Amino acid sequence: MPHTSTSIITIERFIMEQERLHPEATGELSNLLYDLCLAAKIISRHVRRAGLTDILGSAGAVNVSGDLQQKLDLFAHDAVQNAVQHTGRVCIAVSEEDEEPMLCPPASRRGKYVILYDPLDGSTNIDVNVSIGTIFSIHRRVTARKGEPSLADCLQVGRKQVAAGYILYGSSTMLVYTTGQGVHGFTLDPTIGEFLLSHPDIRTPETGKYYSVNESNWNRWTPAVQRAVAAFKNGDGGGRMQAKNARYIGSLVADIHRNLISGGIFLYPADTRSSEGKLRLLYEAAPLALVVEQAGGAATDGRRPILDLVPKSLHQRTPLFIGSKADVAFASEILSTESVPA
Ligand code: AHM
Ligand code: MG
């Protein structure tokens, strides 16, 4: 049936309807999600104008309105920070761009949530007009409300996230999130400046058609990782794994989003150059793991579920195997034959 105007569901209506399913909800999480929608729209507008920077003035220069031009990733960092820090829903925010967490002012109005985010992921794609994304992870504060929030609020196991999601600045801008009740995707209609429900209850295929990995790292991988990737590429010869097609953008959000919809596995294993892998546990792996698990997929570090890893430091890295369940299980099985590095 074609959509009529009354069947259009805005993100606001959707979040509100979800909130009604939880009579105990105070609305704070819903409002925090709206704050993130606002940041998403501001970043999206800026990203869409990025190609004009050379005409309108480059980073560090003063633009026509007299404002100082910022690099896009720093702009995105500030956009999220400004959207969440004054509304009284968050007590502490940590960005991949910052060494230390930022305590939200004023102390008297600090909220009960903690947000960790990667403001603009896909740094090598930012300046070349290729899809990039923002990733966010929301936890409940665990330290006492009376005192100062601390590192303990930020270093929580991924399983405890109350919400997580991403914003993809691709051929259209999409916001995809979960609060633990399925994964829902919204597409920004730029003509009305509103996110509209376009992908309700996303389910990822059990087995994927794509494998996504930076194969230039091949010589730096362990033999088990090489065997797994070879099986995704050529099939395993035993009929358990069919050869897959390759797709790799080098922007985590875009690679994960494509595989979430079409099915596939994304791998960023450890290698001899990065013994812990490249991606960050708190800002990248954990939020995307919650989204993918909620859509019926899986995410591991090769052995353990990403959502069970206990973070020890803010900028900790982890190997990542994420996507269609059968494909992630296949890779984990091969990796389990290898002894754990000391
Ligand atoms: P960034 O945080 O500097 O943007 O790096 C993360 C990005 C991911 O988006 C992507 O999956 C990965 O790095 C690509 O790395 P590589 O260029 O090594 O393939
Ligand atoms: Mg990143």
Side-chain angles (χ1 to χ4, degrees), residues 46-335:
H46 213 71
V47 166
R48 300 287 170 224
R49 289 170 59 85
L52 301 169
T53 319
D54 285 345
I55 306 168
L56 302 177
S58 58
V62 175
N63 70 12
V64 280
S65 358
D67 302 324
L68 195 66
Q69 296 274 330
Q70 262 184 318
K71 274 175 70 72
L72 262 182
D73 45 2
L74 296 180
F75 178 90
H77 165 87
D78 288 352
V80 177
Q81 202 84 311
N82 290 335
V84 301
Q85 71 177 341
H86 298 292
T87 50
R89 319 193 222 280
V90 168
C91 58
I92 190 166
V94 203
S95 157
E96 202 201 68
E97 296 285 335
D98 272 344
E99 276 304 307
E100 300 295 331
M102 197 244 359
L103 297 182
C104 295
S108 57
R109 280 198 56 224
R110 281 182 192 145
K112 63 178 174 200
Y113 290 107
V114 175
I115 182 163
L116 302 108
Y117 64 100
D118 184 350
L120 210 54
D121 183 74
S123 43
T124 58
N125 286 326
I126 292 178
D127 291 333
V128 290
N129 205 4
V130 174
S131 299
I132 44 183
T134 300
I135 310 169
F136 59 89
S137 162
I138 300 172
H139 281 274
R140 211 167 267 119
R141 177 176 186 177
V142 287
T143 53
R145 291 283 295 258
K146 280 187 266 135
E148 292 282 282
S150 74
L151 216 51
D153 295 306
C154 308
L155 299 180
Q156 297 192 53
V157 67
R159 197 72 67 194
K160 290 203 172 148
Q161 290 170 103
V162 290
Y166 58 79
I167 300 135
L168 169 62
Y169 313 99
S171 43
S172 50
T173 296
M174 274 196 79
L175 189 149
V176 174
Y177 83 95
T178 181
T179 52
Q181 275 139 348
V183 178
H184 311 286
F186 301 80
T187 302
L188 181 64
D189 179 343
T191 61
I192 55 168
E194 193 62 90
F195 280 103
L196 305 178
L197 182 63
S198 52
H199 296 66
D201 201 14
I202 298 171
R203 303 299 298 166
T204 198
E206 177 78 15
T207 307
K209 55 180 175 188
Y210 298 125
Y211 76 101
S212 309
V213 67
N214 185 340
E215 234 168 307
S216 70
N217 291 325
W218 178 276
N219 291 329
R220 290 184 275 269
W221 291 334
T222 62
V225 171
Q226 290 176 342
R227 278 206 304 285
V229 173
F232 291 134
K233 185 175 181 165
N234 306 314
D236 68 345
R240 229 195 110 193
M241 182 52 61
Q242 303 295 321
K244 296 183 188 297
N245 203 348
R247 286 283 186 282
Y248 189 74
I249 299 169
S251 266
L252 188 59
V253 171
D255 278 312
I256 297 283
H257 181 73
R258 180 201 52 246
N259 290 3
L260 187 73
I261 304 294
S262 304
I265 179 166
F266 173 95
L267 310 79
Y268 212 113
D271 59 42
T272 50
R273 212 166 37 182
S274 349
S275 61
E276 300 299 324
K278 175 180 182 185
L279 301 171
R280 315 282 179 155
L281 175 59
L282 290 174
Y283 319 106
E284 295 169 331
L288 295 173
L290 187 68
V291 168
V292 170
E293 270 204 12
Q294 279 290 314
T300 73
D301 68 349
R303 294 160 197 282
R304 297 158 298 177
I306 291 289
L307 294 180
D308 292 340
L309 300 181
V310 181
K312 294 189 182 64
S313 65
L314 281 179
H315 296 283
Q316 182 174 335
R317 296 173 196 268
T318 177
L320 180 62
F321 299 76
I322 185 168
S324 292
K325 216 177 201 163
D327 298 331
V328 173
F330 179 84
S332 302
E333 209 176 295
I334 297 184
L335 264 77

